[in-house]
Amino acid sequence: QAQLVESGGGSVQAGGSLRLACAVSGGYTQINYCMGWFRQAPGKEREGVAFIDVDYRTGYVDSVRGRFTISKDNAKNILFLQMNSLKPDDTAMYYCAVASGWRWECDEWKRYNIWGQGTQVTISS
């Protein structure tokens, strides 16, 4: 079973930047399937934020497009989320996830079935 461990969360002021990382380990290379970042704010449902497929194509939810960048390092089995121009509305617990067995159509958020424990991001105004 693959394991995902997020890091890089923290507290910054609006307009600042953070870079999240997700280390992927396990018996097989989950890094080669759809990988994504999700977030859940207090009182809200979890939402998909960004994905990257096996061909390095990426997609973003409208609220973060142009500010966030998802990337991965296959050699090191690490997924990243660079977050710039952060807003208070970005405050949430951020999770990385894998849609095991799926390499494309990674915007089907319900396919994600392996999750990390989350890292908190707090943006102050």
Side-chain angles (χ1 to χ4, degrees):
Q1 178 72 15
Q3 290 186 329
L4 311 179
V5 179
E6 300 95 336
S7 61
S11 298
V12 298
Q13 289 189 331
S17 299
L18 285 171
R19 190 190 195 202
L20 306 184
C22 173
V24 183
S25 63
Y28 45 102
T29 52
Q30 295 295 342
I31 198 84
N32 289 323
Y33 296 125
C34 291
M35 296 201 71
W37 287 96
F38 292 71
R39 67 185 180 185
Q40 186 167 20
K44 295 186 177 181
E45 294 187 354
R46 185 172 58 195
E47 65 169 344
V49 173
F51 70 83
I52 186 166
D53 73 13
V54 67
D55 293 325
Y56 291 83
R57 289 176 296 204
T58 60
Y60 303 89
V61 67
D62 287 346
S63 59
V64 308
R65 188 175 292 113
R67 301 187 297 121
F68 290 11
T69 302
I70 188 172
S71 62
K72 63 178 180 174
D73 183 332
N74 272 15
K76 297 182 179 179
N77 283 351
I78 301 176
L79 178 72
F80 298 101
L81 185 68
Q82 178 67 43
M83 306 187 295
N84 299 328
S85 302
L86 285 161
K87 305 175 181 179
D89 284 349
D90 295 319
T91 295
M93 185 72 79
Y94 283 72
Y95 301 88
C96 67
V98 172
S100 184
W102 296 95
R103 299 180 187 273
W104 301 281
E105 301 178 344
C106 301
D107 57 345
E108 295 289 338
W109 302 117
K110 292 184 178 180
R111 290 176 176 172
Y112 289 80
N113 59 343
I114 301 174
W115 297 85
Q117 83 288 348
T119 186
Q120 178 67 38
V121 171
T122 302
I123 312 301
S124 58
S125 58

